[in-house]
Amino acid sequence: MTDPYSVLGVPRTASEEDIRKAFRALAKKHHPDLNPGDKAAEAKFKEISQANELLSDAEKRRRFDAGEIDATGQEVPPRGFYRDQAGGYGGKYERAGAHDSFVDMGGVFSEMFGERRGYGGGGFDMSGMPVTYSLRVPFLVAARGGKQRVDLPDGKTLDIDIPEGTTDGQTLRLKGQGMPGSQGRPAGDAYVEIRVEPHAFFEARDNDIHVELPVTITEAALGGKVRVPTVAGPVMLNVPAGSNTGTSLRLKGRGLLDRRSGQRGDQYVKLKVVMPEQPDAKLKEFLENWEAGKAYDPRQGMEQFT
């Protein structure tokens, strides 16, 4: 993978806000939903998503800058040091510690590990090793819940149940689906860290959803009902007359499900007034003769800060 700073087009001294802005701008340009059938855009989107995943995590960014991990997030062993790593879907096998937040998904991966043999020889008698790996999930699948199909190393495919309200960084625990134990000892668990892919226009902040909604001059000035997307599907929103760019409206209960409380967050809609690309002659004539439009100064007061 290319250097993540270069992928996002930011210097190594970039702030968290600089990285966030650069990523969102590129995501909107290359998101597959906005470029249907464009394989190049899809590949670019995956590349910028991976770069953002690394640089937006302060600890991963520190480790990358220090040369401890590479651009894909994999460990960089010290010079002259080699070790064997057992391969698994989406990552390496390793000893896993306790996880504070997980969803028990039972035996969903039985096919994945069920055919592996134990370590019966050599006198060892130990429980199976846990296995950990990451799985990328589309934003709306995580928000709504649903199936996520994965390709296993042996060529088989498996549909995983993603619970509604799954959040980025959440770990799913698959009890007893890790490496098999030896001498009949129980198998370890499998831990799946979910990485939620960004959406073209939805942005999750805790359990709330934020979205910027373009509106016409007429809709902003006169008000009216407009169609607005939510994670559960489009709804009608009442835009008050005299609204402006930056006006924020709330759709109660239209956010993400909090799995612990059972409550839903809200959706906040930030309006953005958009001029037509080619204003017609009547609009130009109206504005040229609109005396009230020349009487107010939207930049009043800015000079005192310069």
Side-chain angles (χ1 to χ4, degrees), residues 261-299:
S261 69
Q263 301 296 313
R264 292 185 182 278
D266 301 327
Q267 176 165 312
Y268 291 89
V269 181
K270 186 177 181 181
L271 302 183
K272 179 181 179 181
V273 181
V274 179
M275 287 280 292
E277 292 186 6
Q278 297 294 332
D280 60 24
K282 288 187 177 181
L283 178 57
K284 291 181 178 179
E285 181 182 358
F286 168 76
L287 293 175
E288 288 171 353
N289 295 289
W290 184 37
E291 294 300 328
K294 303 172 185 177
Y296 75 98
D297 182 4
R299 295 171 293 281

Side-chain angles (χ1 to χ4, degrees), residues 18-159:
D18 292 335
I19 290 171
R20 188 185 72 83
K21 288 182 177 179
F23 169 69
R24 287 188 65 80
L26 290 170
K28 287 182 178 180
K29 180 179 179 181
H30 299 287
H31 198 284
D33 289 351
L34 302 179
N35 300 274
D38 189 336
K39 296 298 183 182
E42 182 178 350
K44 183 64 176 179
F45 179 74
K46 289 181 179 180
E47 184 180 38
I48 62 178
S49 295
Q50 189 171 13
N52 177 69
E53 181 180 330
L54 189 150
L55 296 183
S56 62
D57 185 309
E59 177 60 15
K60 288 183 180 179
R61 182 181 180 183
R62 181 198 67 75
R63 297 192 67 204
F64 173 77
D65 290 342
E68 297 174 4
I69 59 175
D70 63 19
T72 66
Q74 297 298 310
E75 298 285 341
V76 177
R79 182 174 300 177
F81 175 79
Y82 298 92
R83 63 181 179 181
D84 294 331
Q85 296 185 7
Y89 174 74
K92 63 178 182 295
Y93 288 111
E94 57 186 26
R95 280 286 181 187
H99 291 257
D100 294 330
S101 173
F102 61 82
V103 177
D104 192 347
M105 295 177 64
V108 71
F109 270 2
S110 58
E111 289 186 52
M112 183 173 177
F113 300 107
E115 297 177 1
R116 295 186 182 274
R117 298 178 180 177
Y119 298 119
F124 290 103
D125 184 10
M126 58 183 293
S127 297
M129 299 269 286
V131 57
T132 63
Y133 56 92
S134 295
L135 176 65
R136 302 188 69 84
V137 175
F139 184 94
L140 290 179
V141 173
R144 299 171 178 170
K147 300 283 189 180
Q148 181 67 17
R149 175 161 293 185
V150 296
D151 297 319
L152 304 182
D154 59 4
K156 296 180 181 179
T157 60
L158 189 66
D159 290 331

Side-chain angles (χ1 to χ4, degrees), residues 154-173:
D154 59 4
K156 296 180 181 179
T157 60
L158 189 66
D159 290 331
I160 301 177
D161 285 316
I162 303 298
E164 180 183 3
T166 296
T167 56
D168 187 65
Q170 182 176 339
T171 299
L172 308 182
R173 177 187 177 190

Side-chain angles (χ1 to χ4, degrees), residues 156-233:
K156 296 180 181 179
T157 60
L158 189 66
D159 290 331
I160 301 177
D161 285 316
I162 303 298
E164 180 183 3
T166 296
T167 56
D168 187 65
Q170 182 176 339
T171 299
L172 308 182
R173 177 187 177 190
L174 287 72
K175 192 172 183 179
Q177 302 305 316
M179 294 289 287
S182 65
Q183 307 277 342
R185 300 284 289 177
D189 296 335
Y191 295 91
V192 185
E193 184 183 24
I194 300 297
R195 307 309 303 182
V196 179
E197 295 179 340
H199 194 267
F201 45 82
F202 289 131
E203 180 182 0
R205 301 179 192 173
D206 295 326
N207 292 312
D208 294 329
I209 293 291
H210 291 254
V211 62
E212 185 177 71
L213 183 71
V215 293
T216 67
I217 299 174
T218 304
E219 291 167 339
L222 303 182
K225 290 187 177 296
V226 298
R227 189 180 176 92
V228 57
T230 74
V231 293

